[in-house]
Amino acid sequence: MRAIVVSATGGPEVLTYVDDQPDPEVNPGEVLVDVAASGVNFIDVYHRMGRYPLSLPFIPGEEGAGTVVAVGEDVHDVAAGDTVAWAAVPRSYASRIAVPASKLLPVPEGVTPEAAAAVTLQGLTAHYLTHSTYAVKAGDDVLVHAAAGGMGLLLTQIAKLRGARVIGTVSTEEKETLARQAGADEVLRYHGFADAVRELTGSGVHVVYDGVGATTFDESIASLRPRGMMALYGQASGPVPPVDPQILARNGSLFLTRPSLNAYIATRDELVWRASEIYGWVAEGRIRVHISNRYPLAEAARAHADLESRRTTGKVLLIP
Ligand SMILES: NC(=O)c1ccc[n+]([C@@H]2O[C@H](COP(=O)([O-])OP(=O)(O)OC[C@H]3O[C@@H](n4cnc5c(N)ncnc54)[C@H](OP(=O)(O)O)[C@@H]3O)[C@@H](O)[C@H]2O)c1
């Protein structure tokens, strides 16, 4: 099979394309899939850099969609030919992958394999952030950073479905247009955003969804209303330095959480519930999947370089 292999951590150049990897073994409880598209996520960058260490060498990637080609022992509800997707499954930057059946999601009619590869990991994440970490209600004020990114466009659309007013931050005019098309009511640049949020809301927002991290953290805290929720779910600009819990008291008895996807899809029921809502909204046209960049698998390094240098919007896919 074809795959991307990382033998040493580092910059995008360590993503090495190989076309002679053996196909993965299919163990009991697993399913072999021909990959139609692999999703690129920021966590793949952290793995490649060694910021979240993995043992070397490894095939990066956590997400994709494709067609079942073989089914291992003890798997009963999937058959060859089915279209499936997955998230939080390692070794996804490849033309073939063995996926535990417990992690496989059937892709319904009305959702293309590419859309499924684009919306599964970030859709599940946007779902848990808006439904479980902080359950967004009609009339809430919600601040979404990097609102034209993969996560940002989904968070914005889902928060709007739940009746919130969404304030987004972005770095460029093109990104502002995209965030507004996704439903953002107000779109700000990063410089001085906490003051602008206070002007718009009076007392601050109910929740901040912050996947940017180092450069936004302090102002995100300052944007919250008393008892508001700071959901620090990523660190695209770098890790946040240690925090003194007193800042939560000083800013109005705030809540701070650093959530990650696995804890919110810990059971099969929870995984399937979130995925079926997301796929349902896509199939019904209630949320739009914006794929800005598709790269051949062999050009994974270019995909990472573009994602890291803020040149992409929405979702980035690799096509094996
Ligand atoms: N915790 C979880 O469960 C979970 C799951 C999925 C993703 N995430 C996190 O969600 C965040 C977004 O992921 P994504 O894949 O959707 O990426 P993305 O938002 O499409 O891309 C990152 C965006 O962050 C913004 N940004 C601001 N400062 C940046 C900097 N110094 N360097 C790079 N980007 C910067 C850029 O938008 P502007 O140019 O508009 O600023 C950039 O386009 C990441 O932190 C990721 O780790 C967390």
Side-chain angles (χ1 to χ4, degrees):
M1 68 173 188
R2 304 177 297 286
I4 295 294
V5 175
V6 173
S7 303
T9 55
E13 69 286 350
V14 303
L15 297 168
T16 307
Y17 177 72
V18 294
D19 60 7
D20 55 358
Q21 284 280 114
D23 274 6
E25 273 180 37
V26 190
N27 296 310
E30 291 183 343
V31 169
L32 185 66
V33 183
D34 250 341
V35 179
S38 311
V40 176
N41 292 286
F42 233 92
I43 194 167
D44 309 337
V45 173
Y46 308 142
H47 286 149
R48 191 206 72 217
M49 294 165 90
R51 193 175 279 170
Y52 299 166
L54 295 178
S55 42
L56 296 164
F58 65 87
I59 295 175
E62 299 257 306
E63 175 186 40
T67 307
V68 173
V69 287
V71 173
E73 277 172 43
D74 304 330
V75 178
H76 305 294
D77 44 2
V78 187
D82 287 358
T83 303
V84 292
W86 58 91
V89 175
R91 295 181 287 283
S92 293
Y93 286 9
S95 57
R96 285 213 156 159
I97 182 172
V99 181
S102 59
K103 297 274 189 104
L104 267 193
L105 294 162
V107 177
E109 295 245 332
V111 180
T112 64
E114 277 203 0
V119 83
T120 301
L121 193 148
Q122 292 170 347
L124 290 167
T125 305
H127 189 283
Y128 86 70
L129 287 169
T130 51
H131 288 63
S132 305
T133 304
Y134 176 87
V136 174
K137 310 177 297 304
D140 279 354
D141 285 321
V142 171
L143 177 59
V144 175
H145 288 308
M151 280 299 309
L153 287 175
L154 292 171
L155 280 168
T156 298
Q157 294 180 82
I158 296 170
K160 289 307 295 176
L161 281 183
R162 290 177 73 87
R165 172 164 70 149
V166 174
I167 304 171
T169 55
V170 295
S171 62
T172 67
E173 211 172 299
E174 182 213 349
K175 290 184 178 187
E176 173 168 348
T177 304
L178 279 173
R180 286 193 190 280
Q181 284 167 355
D185 300 279
E186 308 286 347
V187 182
L188 307 171
R189 298 297 187 272
Y190 293 94
H191 182 72
F193 70 80
D195 287 342
V197 165
R198 293 223 160 255
E199 261 173 49
L200 288 166
T201 59
S203 52
V205 294
H206 293 77
V207 59
V208 182
Y209 294 117
D210 189 340
V212 172
T215 58
T216 45
F217 184 84
D218 291 342
E219 283 200 58
S220 291
I221 291 283
S223 302
L224 283 161
R225 63 165 48 208
R227 297 193 283 172
M229 169 72 75
M230 169 66 173
L232 176 67
Y233 71 94
Q235 49 181 29
S237 69
V240 174
V243 171
D244 174 1
Q246 271 305 113
I247 64 163
L248 304 176
R250 268 202 307 277
N251 286 275
S253 299
L254 303 179
F255 295 86
L256 166 63
T257 181
R258 176 62 180 89
S260 72
L261 177 59
N262 279 323
Y264 286 92
I265 52 170
T267 66
R268 176 83 188 152
D269 282 352
E270 202 173 14
L271 171 67
V272 170
W273 164 54
R274 297 192 196 284
S276 44
E277 291 214 343
I278 292 292
Y279 294 156
W281 293 330
V282 173
E284 291 159 13
R286 297 179 73 198
I287 63 174
R288 194 173 151 252
V289 182
H290 176 88
I291 301 169
S292 69
N293 297 60
R294 291 174 182 78
Y295 303 83
L297 180 62
E299 292 180 28
R302 194 158 62 85
H304 273 216
D306 288 348
L307 179 66
E308 281 174 271
S309 54
R310 304 165 82 160
R311 283 196 290 268
T312 65
T313 53
K315 189 67 188 182
V316 177
L317 291 180
L318 298 176
I319 311 298

